Amino acid sequence: MAVLPDDHGAVRGGAPEGPLVTVLMSVYNAGEYLRPSLLSIINQTHRNLDIVIIDDGSTDGCFGSVQDLLADERVRVIHQENATKPVAFNRALDNIRGEFYAIQDADDISHPMRIEKQARALLRKPHLAAVFCGNELVINGRFMAPVFAPKNEDVCRVEINAFRMPAHDPTGMFRTSMVGHMRYEPSLKVCETFDYILRVGELHPMIVLGECLYAYRILPNSLTRRAPIWRQQFATEAFKRACDRRGLRFEQISEDTSDANKLSRNSLLDNNIAAHFMTSVLDLRRSNRRLLAVKTGWQCACLHPADLHYYKALVYALMPPRAASRLRRAFPTIPLEAKK
């Protein structure tokens, strides 16, 4: 195995231990974020990795910044013409070598022990098909709003039955022997992971670890953030596919009753990030980190100071925890299931 320095000069190396884990990364014009994202995987405490990168026709020269990292013999790069993210992921799935496989978005950050802790959970419970974890957000270079409540198999089943992902999609690690044959739906240019995780959860048990091990970067120039109606069309198609699999009658959500149409324009443009902040505040309050909960609520309000929806997290942070939880259950705000 190659021994490479990290960006702080530390040398990482040593013999691989534990199960082989394939990490799948689809890259399309990831720019300056590709290097820290790839470094966060290369520098994992779990060393026995097989890192498969699909270059989905990048044109911004982002691979020029990681040439030294590609010398790590655990890294494989497959170049292709731009064919959309689900197609890229399917090609990566065709090249899996590991007992488990994990997802890493090309602009996000995995915490150092993410792979180790998720692989350990899959080893301890051989009947699980997937293990997810909590995540925080990265906005303008600042890490904020961690969510970390654990979810057992029963809770995850309830989420799947309600057409919801139990956790943020790129935090997943999957058991190859159980779901390695499944593929992403190429017709879903976004929401492909929503559809994929619903299909996995309909067939197999999964859990969410009660730790924040992943940082999800919010990019202001994302295509789905600029085109919420276009994004919602794919979300509706993924929902329809789930109804068909479950033998349920699909009825088009009317414009007057759609959750999307009850949100402010800002919430539509950012996939309702405020809902993530609300969840983070409740998690922090339950763990007795009240000051951080208030700070998190304030950070949400600062995103759009003129939009009252973004003050809800701050209200949750300031009111008694039980009252906040009851209010959230009475008036749930579900983030739109779509990728950036």
Side-chain angles (χ1 to χ4, degrees):
M1 175 182 296
V3 179
L4 295 173
D6 63 23
D7 273 6
H8 301 287
V11 175
R12 306 298 299 269
E17 296 180 357
L20 178 63
V21 178
T22 295
V23 180
L24 309 181
M25 179 184 290
S26 171
V27 179
Y28 175 69
N29 290 350
E32 64 185 294
Y33 306 118
L34 178 58
R35 183 176 183 86
S37 181
L38 180 54
L39 268 172
S40 77
I41 293 299
I42 287 177
N43 287 335
Q44 287 287 303
T45 57
H46 184 92
R47 307 298 299 158
N48 197 12
L49 297 175
D50 167 41
I51 305 168
V52 179
I53 301 174
I54 305 296
D55 171 21
D56 190 30
S58 295
T59 59
D60 67 344
C62 59
F63 279 88
S65 68
V66 296
Q67 287 303 305
D68 59 323
L69 304 182
L70 301 184
D72 189 318
E73 61 190 36
R74 298 174 299 171
V75 179
R76 293 183 284 151
V77 180
I78 301 173
H79 300 277
Q80 66 179 32
E81 294 184 3
N82 182 246
T84 73
K85 193 169 185 177
V87 174
F89 266 140
N90 285 343
R91 188 165 184 186
L93 287 168
D94 290 338
N95 287 273
I96 287 177
R97 295 174 180 170
E99 181 178 350
F100 310 134
Y101 61 95
I103 305 299
Q104 171 76 19
D105 274 0
D107 47 15
D108 293 345
I109 302 292
S110 283
H111 293 199
M113 295 189 71
R114 176 205 168 185
I115 300 298
E116 177 182 339
K117 291 187 174 183
Q118 290 183 286
R120 186 187 304 158
L122 285 170
L123 287 173
R124 287 176 176 173
K125 297 185 176 182
H127 67 288
L128 293 179
V131 171
F132 296 86
C133 63
N135 74 282
E136 59 190 339
L137 304 179
V138 184
I139 302 178
N140 296 326
R142 299 175 63 191
F143 291 73
M144 60 184 71
V147 298
F148 47 88
K151 295 181 182 179
N152 61 26
E153 297 171 40
D154 292 336
V155 173
C156 288
R157 172 61 63 180
V158 169
E159 298 273 24
I160 293 293
N161 289 343
F163 301 92
R164 295 194 297 265
M165 294 188 295
H168 193 45
D169 43 297
T171 70
M173 179 181 289
F174 304 87
R175 191 181 303 275
T176 305
S177 62
M178 295 179 71
V179 297
H181 64 285
M182 297 177 65
R183 295 295 181 267
Y184 290 88
E185 173 52 47
S187 66
L188 297 175
K189 295 182 180 180
V190 296
C191 297
E192 75 286 346
T193 48
F194 172 52
D195 172 78
Y196 183 84
I197 291 171
L198 286 185
R199 286 187 282 127
V200 171
E202 288 164 4
L203 298 174
H204 304 288
M206 54 179 59
I207 64 171
V208 181
L209 298 181
E211 295 186 66
C212 176
L213 300 172
Y214 192 89
Y216 176 73
R217 194 181 302 275
I218 303 298
L219 299 176
N221 61 346
S222 164
L223 176 60
T224 57
R225 286 163 57 81
R226 295 196 306 268
I229 297 177
W230 177 81
R231 177 188 67 220
Q232 187 60 27
Q233 291 174 349
F234 289 105
T236 300
E237 178 58 28
F239 178 74
K240 182 178 184 301
R241 285 168 53 85
C243 289
D244 291 343
R245 290 192 304 272
R246 302 176 190 192
L248 302 174
R249 187 175 64 177
F250 171 78
E251 295 181 1
Q252 179 67 47
I253 302 175
S254 71
E255 190 166 328
D256 292 334
T257 60
S258 168
D259 285 342
N261 285 281
K262 295 177 183 178
L263 298 174
S264 68
R265 175 170 174 76
N266 292 321
S267 295
L268 288 172
L269 289 173
D270 65 16
N271 295 356
N272 198 9
I273 291 172
H276 177 98
F277 278 87
M278 294 177 216
T279 300
S280 176
V281 163
L282 294 177
D283 285 356
L284 291 167
R285 290 296 302 270
R286 282 190 289 265
S287 64
N288 295 317
R289 287 186 272 179
R290 184 169 182 175
L291 288 179
L292 184 54
V294 173
K295 178 181 178 180
T296 299
W298 178 249
Q299 287 171 329
C300 184
C302 290
L303 294 177
H304 293 286
D307 191 331
L308 292 179
H309 179 65
Y310 290 80
Y311 286 84
K312 291 181 180 178
L314 182 58
V315 172
Y316 288 170
L318 296 173
M319 66 192 311
R322 291 184 179 179
S325 295
R326 287 197 298 268
L327 182 62
R328 186 72 192 277
R329 288 194 296 270
F331 302 99
T333 307
I334 305 301
L336 298 178
E337 305 290 4
K339 286 300 297 157
K340 53 195 174 185

